[in-house]
C-alpha cells in the first residue's frame, strides 16, 4: 500500500522527531498554498509571488508550468513533509462534498534538489441538484516531477443523489494508493486515472500521477494527471451556475447527467455513478507516501489543499546515511562532533548505536554492523580508529546476499546517554535515520496490473529500466 520502495528515487528516506526544548532545535516551516486561486487551473508566477511576499517563501518559488510550484532544497538533511488534498464541491440540495486526505512523512533531501509541488484546489460547487466538481490532489515530487514523494488525494464532488454517510465515506480522499471498485465500476489502475461509469453517461474520471482520467467521447470533463499538468476537468455547463468544474490537481468535472466529479490523487477516483436512478458523487482520489515515520488519514480536509515542509537548522541530530557503491560500508553524518561521554571526550563505539535491518522483500537477507571507524579509508582493516569528535562515522557492514536497493537499515542512538556533542548535550533516542542499500541486483518485475476498461497493462519494475547497458534506450515489446 503506502510503504512501497521504488529504487529509482534519488533520495534516501529518513525520519525523526526532535523536541525543540530538549535538544535545542530550531525548525523552519514553509507553508505552500493555492495562492488564493480557485477552479481548474493553478496559480501563475505573479499570483504565487504576491501570495508569498513577506513570508519564508518570499522569492523562493518558481513557476515554469502553471500551477506547479518549484522550490529548491537549501541544505542536505531531514525534512518533514505534510500534505492535504482538496475538498470536493457541493451542491445546494445535499451539500455533501467529500473531504481530502492528509499524509505526512520524513525524507532525507539533498541540497540543490528541485521539489515540484502542486497544491490541490476545491472542486467547484454546483447549482441546484447538478453535479459538483471533484477536489484536486496535492502532489510533491522530485527529479523534474517524475518521482513522487508524497501525495494526498482530493475528495469526490457531490452528485444529485449523494445524501448518505456511506456515499461520503466512499467519496473521501483515501490515504491508500490503491482504490477499490466504486459502485461496480472497475477499480482504477494504481497511479493512473479513474474509470468512467459508461461511454454514454458524460461521466469522467479524475487524474492520477501518471495518467489522465477516462473520458466519454470528445468531452473534456476528465482530470489531467500530475505529469500532464494537473488541470481539473471541465463541467457540462461551466460558468452557468449548474455543474462545477474539477479542482486543479486532477479533479474531474460535474456532468450533465448530474454525476459528481471524482477526486484527483496518486490514483484518480472513478466517476460518479447512476445508482438505480440516483446520481451519485465521484470517488475520492488515492494517496501516496514514500517517507518514514508516516501519519496518514482519509477524508479530513474541508478546504483547499496545502503542503508544509519543515526542516531543522540547528541542534544535534543525524544528518543522513550514505552507502558505498558495493555496500561494504555506510557513512553516517552527524550535525556536530560526537563523543560517548558528556564531558566532550571519548570515542564512539558500535554499542552506542541501535542498528536495525529490514529486508522489505529484497534478496539480501541480512545486514550486520562489523565495526565503526574514521572515514579515511574504504578498507575496514586500514581505516583509522575513532578518537572522539568525528562528524562522519564510517560503518563497515556484513551483507548476506545481493541487495536490490529495497533493503533498509535504520540507525539511532542506543540510549539517551550514548552520544553527546562537545557541550554535553545528548542525542535523543527518537533521532534516527533510515537508508536503502545500494542496488546491485539490476531491475526485475515486481508486479503487473491489468485495467480492462482502458486496455492498459501496467508493469512495475524494481528500478528504472532500459534496453541497453548504457542507461538509455526505451524498452520494446520484443
Amino acid at each position: 500500500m503506502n510503504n512501497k520502495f521504488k529504487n529509482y528515487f534519488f533520495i534516501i528516506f529518513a525520519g525523526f522527531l526532535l523536541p525543540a526544548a530538549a535538544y535545542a532545535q530550531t525548525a523552519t516551516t514553509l507553508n505552500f498554498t493555492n495562492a488564493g486561486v480557485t477552479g481548474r487551473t493553478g496559480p501563475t508566477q505573479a499570483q504565487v509571488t504576491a501570495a508569498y511576499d513577506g513570508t519564508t517563501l518570499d522569492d523562493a518559488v518558481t513557476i515554469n508550468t502553471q500551477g506547479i510550484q518549484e522550490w529548491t532544497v537549501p541544505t542536505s538533511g531531514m525534512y518533514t513533509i505534510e500534505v492535504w488534498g482538496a475538498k470536493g464541491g457541493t451542491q445546494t440540495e445535499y451539500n455533501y462534498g467529500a473531504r481530502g486526505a492528509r499524509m505526512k512523512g520524513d525524507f532525507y533531501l539533498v541540497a540543490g534538489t528541485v521539489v515540484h509541488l502542486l497544491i490541490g484546489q476545491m472542486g467547484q460547487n454546483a447549482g441546484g441538484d447538478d453535479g459538483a466538481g471533484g477536489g484536486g490532489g496535492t502532489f510533491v515530487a522530485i527529479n523534474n516531477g517524475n518521482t513522487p514523494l508524497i501525495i494526498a488525494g482530493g475528495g469526490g464532488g457531490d452528485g444529485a443523489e449523494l445524501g448518505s454517510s456511506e456515499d461520503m465515506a466512499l467519496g473521501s480522499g483515501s490515504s491508500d494508493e490503491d482504490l477499490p471498485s466504486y459502485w461496480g465500476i472497475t477499480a482504477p489502475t494504481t497511479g493512473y486515472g479513474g474509470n468512467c461509469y459508461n461511454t454514454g453517461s458524460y461521466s469522467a474520471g479524475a487524474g492520477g500521477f501518471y495518467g489522465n482520467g477516462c473520458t466519454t467521447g470528445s468531452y473534456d470533463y476528465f482530470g489531467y494527471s500530475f505529469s500532464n499538468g494537473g488541470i481539473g476537468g471541465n463541467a457540462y455547463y461551466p460558468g452557468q451556475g449548474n455543474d462545477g468544474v474539477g479542482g486543479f490537481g486532477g479533479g474531474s468535472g460535474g456532468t450533465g447527467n448530474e454525476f459528481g466529479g471524482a477526486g484527483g490523487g496518486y490514483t484518480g477516483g472513478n466517476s460518479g455513478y447512476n445508482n438505480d436512478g440516483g446520481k451519485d458523487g465521484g470517488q475520492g482520489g488515492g494517496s501516496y507516501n514514500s517517507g518514514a515515520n508516516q501519519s496518514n488519514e482519509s477524508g479530513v480536509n474541508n478546504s483547499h489543499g496545502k503542503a508544509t515542509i519543515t526542516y531543522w537548522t540547528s541542534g544535534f541530530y543525524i544528518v543522513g546515511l550514505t552507502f558505498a557503491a558495493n555496500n561494504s560500508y555506510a557513512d553516517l553524518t552527524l550535525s556536530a562532533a560526537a563523543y560517548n561521554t558528556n564531558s566532550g571526550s571519548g570515542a564512539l563505539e558500535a554499542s552506542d548505536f541501535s542498528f536495525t535491518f529490514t529486508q522489505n522483500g529484497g534478496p539480501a537477507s541480512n545486514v550486520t554492523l562489523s565495526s565503526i571507524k574514521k572515514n579515511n579509508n574504504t578498507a575496514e582493516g586500514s581505516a583509522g580508529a575513532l578518537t572522539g569528535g568525528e562528524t562522519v562515522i564510517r560503518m563497515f557492514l556484513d551483507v548476506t546476499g545481493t541487495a536490490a536497493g529495497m533493503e533498509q537499515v535504520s540507525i539511532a542512538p542506543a540510549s539517551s546517554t550514548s552520544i553527546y556533542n562537545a557541550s554535553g548535550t545528548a542525542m535523543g533516542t527518537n533521532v534516527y535515520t533510515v537508508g536503502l542499500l545500494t542496488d546491485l541486483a539490476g531491475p526485475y518485475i515486481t508486479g503487473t496490473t491489468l485495467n480492462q476498461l482502458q486496455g492498459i497493462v501496467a508493469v512495475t519494475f524494481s528500478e528504472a529500466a532500459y534496453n541497453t547497458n548504457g542507461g538509455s534506450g526505451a524498452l520494446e515489446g520484443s
Side-chain angles (χ1 to χ4, degrees):
M1 303 295 281
N2 295 319
N3 293 316
K4 294 182 179 177
F5 292 90
K6 296 179 172 61
N7 303 303
Y8 50 78
F9 288 174
F10 297 154
I11 61 170
I12 300 173
F13 307 144
F16 68 109
L17 289 174
L18 298 176
Y23 304 109
Q25 291 294 133
T26 300
T28 296
T29 297
L30 308 174
N31 295 289
F32 296 85
T33 71
N34 62 320
V37 176
T38 61
R40 59 193 295 249
T41 58
T44 64
Q45 180 69 68
Q47 289 168 322
V48 165
T49 299
Y52 295 153
D53 186 39
T55 73
T56 50
L57 288 173
D58 197 346
D59 295 328
V61 175
T62 301
I63 302 284
N64 286 305
T65 299
Q66 184 173 345
I68 310 296
Q69 303 182 36
E70 298 180 17
W71 170 78
T72 301
V73 176
T75 183
S76 296
M78 293 170 282
Y79 291 75
T80 297
I81 305 177
E82 189 167 10
V83 292
W84 291 259
K87 175 181 177 292
T90 66
Q91 46 98 315
T92 55
E93 185 171 1
Y94 291 102
N95 198 32
Y96 283 113
R99 301 184 181 196
R102 181 195 66 83
M103 310 290 287
K104 183 180 181 181
D106 296 334
F107 305 83
Y108 182 83
L109 299 177
V110 177
T113 299
V114 178
V115 179
H116 292 69
L117 303 99
L118 185 159
I119 307 301
Q121 295 169 192
M122 287 194 297
Q124 187 182 40
N125 294 339
D129 62 356
D130 294 301
T138 293
F139 301 75
V140 181
I142 59 171
N143 300 331
N144 293 319
N146 294 317
T147 301
L149 294 183
I150 187 168
I151 298 166
D158 198 351
E161 303 291 339
L162 186 60
S164 78
S165 59
E166 178 185 14
D167 293 339
M168 281 291 288
L170 289 169
S172 295
S174 171
S175 61
D176 289 335
E177 62 187 64
D178 303 312
L179 293 179
S181 61
Y182 183 68
W183 293 122
I185 306 172
T186 302
T189 299
T190 301
Y192 289 81
N195 296 319
C196 293
Y197 164 51
N198 64 48
T199 57
S201 66
Y202 306 105
S203 61
F209 186 82
Y210 300 104
N212 300 337
C214 69
T215 184
T216 53
S218 59
Y219 304 105
D220 65 345
Y221 309 140
F222 65 91
Y224 286 81
S225 67
F226 174 83
S227 60
N228 288 325
I231 297 173
N234 213 336
Y236 188 71
Y237 292 112
Q240 298 184 31
N242 294 296
D243 303 297
V245 301
F248 181 62
S252 62
T255 66
N257 273 12
E258 303 174 353
F259 299 137
Y266 179 68
T267 303
N270 283 345
S271 72
Y273 178 70
N274 189 333
N275 182 24
D276 296 327
K279 312 299 173 55
D280 292 293
Q283 186 178 28
S287 301
Y288 181 89
N289 193 347
S290 62
N293 198 31
Q294 294 185 17
S295 172
N296 306 320
E297 293 181 283
S298 300
V300 296
N301 186 36
N302 202 32
S303 186
H304 292 293
K306 58 184 178 179
T308 64
I309 298 179
T310 301
Y311 61 100
W312 283 259
T313 55
S314 68
F316 188 37
Y317 54 90
I318 298 173
V319 174
L321 184 68
T322 304
F323 285 85
N326 63 358
N327 289 322
S328 62
Y329 64 84
D331 284 338
L332 182 75
T333 303
L334 309 175
S335 64
Y339 306 87
N340 73 348
T341 73
N342 62 3
S343 60
S345 64
L348 294 177
E349 302 172 358
S351 59
D352 291 322
F353 294 93
S354 169
F355 185 96
T356 304
F357 170 73
T358 305
Q359 190 171 4
N360 288 324
S365 60
N366 195 28
V367 178
T368 58
L369 180 59
S370 175
S371 65
I372 62 173
K373 295 192 174 184
K374 290 183 178 291
N375 65 329
N376 57 3
N377 201 293
T378 59
E380 183 173 8
S382 301
L386 298 177
T387 57
E390 292 84 7
T391 57
V392 178
I393 310 297
R394 180 149 292 174
M395 296 186 153
F396 287 93
L397 309 174
D398 290 325
V399 181
T400 304
T402 302
M406 62 182 64
E407 300 89 345
Q408 172 183 306
V409 167
S410 301
I411 296 174
S415 73
S416 60
T417 58
S418 295
I419 305 174
Y420 298 86
N421 64 12
S423 62
T425 299
M427 183 179 291
T429 55
N430 56 350
V431 178
Y432 67 96
T433 188
V434 180
L436 300 179
L437 272 68
T438 303
D439 177 17
L440 300 176
Y444 56 90
I445 295 174
T446 59
T448 59
T449 306
L450 172 64
N451 186 312
Q452 294 179 333
L453 288 180
Q454 295 187 359
I456 296 173
V457 177
V459 179
T460 304
F461 289 90
S462 60
E463 60 183 296
Y466 308 91
N467 73 347
T468 74
N469 61 4
S472 64
L475 298 179
E476 302 172 356
S478 57

